[in-house]
Amino acid sequence: MKNGIKLSRGATLVLITITGVVGYYFATNSGQASTNKVSPTLPLSDDALKAATQSMRARHPDMSSDSTANMIDLGSKLFVDKGFSSNGEVACSTCHQPETSFTDSKPTGAGIAVGGMNTPTIINAYAGHWFFWNGRADSLEAQALGPVENPGEHGFSRGQVVRRLIEHYKTPYEALFGPIPPEATNSEQVFARPASKPARVSHEVAAYALATLGSPILQKSILHEAQSKSLQPVEILENMAAGSAEKPTAFDQLPEVRKAAINNVFRNFGRAIAAFERTVVTTDASFDRFADRFSGVDNPTQALGEGFGEPELRGLRIFTGRGNCVLCHQGRLFTDQQFHNIGLPPVKSDSVDLGRAQGMLIARGSEFSCLGTFAAQDTARMTTSESCHELKFIETESAEAVGAFKTPTLRNLRDTAPYGHDGRFPRVRDVLNHYNNLGTVNTVGHTEDSLRPLVLSSGELDDLEVFLMSLSSTVDFYKAH
Ligand code: HEC
Ligand code: HEC
C-alpha cells in the first residue's frame, strides 16, 4: 500500500460492488483471539530488579516549576476561577480536583456538558511530552487553551478571556507580560471562538481503520449511513473521526492584527496556568521508600517495610517480569510518553476515536503548537522540548497510531478511578483483567504485538494490584495566599 501504511497483521479490506452499492467486507485481524499462551518474560534477577527499581524511583527537580513566583500565583488563580466559563460554573479545578489527585472521579469529564473522555490527572505534568489522550497538544501551555474554548467544557472564547483578564487580573497580568495592546481590547468586542477545523486522516489511514474496526454495531451504522448518503463507508468513517466543519465565525473575520493581539494574550493565559500546573507534584510513595532501602542492600526482602511488604514485592516482580508492564509504564512516572493500542474495542455505535492518528494531525495544525504562529511555549522551553522536535518529523501515515492512546502515569491510581481513555474501567482490577485476558474482538487498528494474555492467577493479580497502589502518595502544589 502506498504512503508507507504498514498493515502489520495483514488485515485486508475487500470492496464488493453489487448493483452499484458499495459494500465492505470487514476482514478479521488474526492475532489476539488465538494466542492464549503465557507471556514468556522471565522474572528479573535481584540485580536487574534493583536497577529497574532505581529507574522508577521518583526524583523531582529541585524546583518543578522554574517560572517566577508571580506567574505561578496568577496561574493558580486562573486555574480555579469559574468566571472563565460561559455559565460561570466551570473552572479547570471543576474537573481537576486537588482532593482526587486532580481528577474528577467520573467516567468522563463534565463541564458545560458531559464529554467523551476520562479526565486524566495533572500530577507531574511538568515532565510530560504530549498532552491529552491523543497527544494533540505539544506543551502544557498549548494544552491549557483547549478546554477554555471547548463548548462542552468551559464554553468560553479567547476574546472573553481577554476581557476577564482586563477586568480582574490587569495588574498582575501586565506586570508579567506587558500592557494588553489596544487591538486586543477594542471596545467592539468579539466573543466568538474561531470555527473548529476538522483534522482529517488520509484516505489510507481511514481505510485501514475501517478494515480493522472491531465493533459490529459501528460497522453496521457506518454501512447504513453510507447507503443513505450515497457515500463510501470510508468517507463516513473519516467524517465521524474528524467531526464536522464549522462556518467561519465573527472571530475568523477579524482583521489579522486584532486576531494576533487576542491570540497573544490568550497564549500568555496558557503560560500562567502551565506555570501553576508545573508545581503539582507527587511526593514519595511507599514504593519510593522501598527503592531507597533496596539501594543499600542486596536482597529486596531486606528492604521491605511499611506499605511495601511481600505482596507488593511479588507484584513488582510481575510488573517488571511476566507482566512486561515496564515495556510501556517505565521511568519514575511509569510512562514512556508514547502512544499504544492496548486493544480496547470501540464502545459507541455512532462515533469512532482514532486516537493518536487524529491527535498528531491536530497538533501539527495547531497555531499554538511549537510550529504554530502563536507558539504557546516560550522560546527557552521550546529548545528543550522533546515533543517540539518530534512534531517536525512526525509520521502522519502510521497504521500504528490508529486506536493508540497515551500511556498514562500509574502514580496515584488510588485517587484517579475510573480508568482508561474513556473511563470504561471502574476499578484497577478491571484494567488488570483486560491485560490478563485481552479481548477476542478487534479494536480499531491493531492491538500492539507485544501484548499477550498474561494468564495470571487471581492471587497474582492481587499482588500486582497492591504493588500499583504502593505508587500513591500525597500531592504537593502551590497554594495561593
Ligand atoms: C469538563 C472537565 C474539564 C475541565 C473544565 C478541564 N479539563 Fe483538563 N481534561 C479533561 C479531560 C476529559 C481531559 C482529556 C481530554 C482528551 O484527552 O481528549 C483533560 C486533559 C487535560 C490535561 C492533559 C493531561 C495529560 O496527561 O494528557 C491537562 C494538563 C489538563 N486537562 C489541564 C486543564 C486545564 C489547565 C484546564 C482549565 C483551563 C482544564 N484542564 C479544564 C477535563 C477537563
Ligand atoms: C504496549 C504498552 C503497554 C503495556 C505493555 C502495558 N500498558 Fe498499561 N496502558 C497503556 C496505555 C496506552 C494505556 C491507556 C489505554 C487507553 O485508555 O486507551 C494504559 C492504561 C493502563 C492503566 C489505566 C490507567 C489510567 O489512569 O487510566 C493501568 C492501571 C495500566 N495501564 C496498568 C498496566 C499494567 C499493570 C501492565 C502490565 C500488566 C500494563 N499496563 C501494560 C500501555 C501499556
Side-chain angles (χ1 to χ4, degrees), residues 7-13 25-36 208 211-214 341 343 438-453:
L7 299 174
S8 44
R9 281 184 200 273
T12 42
L13 179 70
Y25 163 70
F26 295 85
T28 40
N29 188 334
S30 65
Q32 296 322 323
S34 54
T35 39
N36 197 23
Y208 174 69
T212 55
L213 201 55
N341 185 327
L438 287 177
T440 50
V441 288
N442 291 330
T443 71
V444 55
H446 72 269
T447 307
E448 206 153 292
D449 295 325
S450 57
L451 289 169
R452 293 280 178 274

Side-chain angles (χ1 to χ4, degrees), residues 92 95-96 111 117 120 131-133 136 143 154 273 277 406:
C92 308
C95 302
H96 301 284
M117 304 301 272
F131 301 92
F132 291 119
W133 286 100
R136 62 183 179 276
Q143 191 289 325
H154 296 239
I273 291 183
E277 290 181 293
K406 191 172 94 168

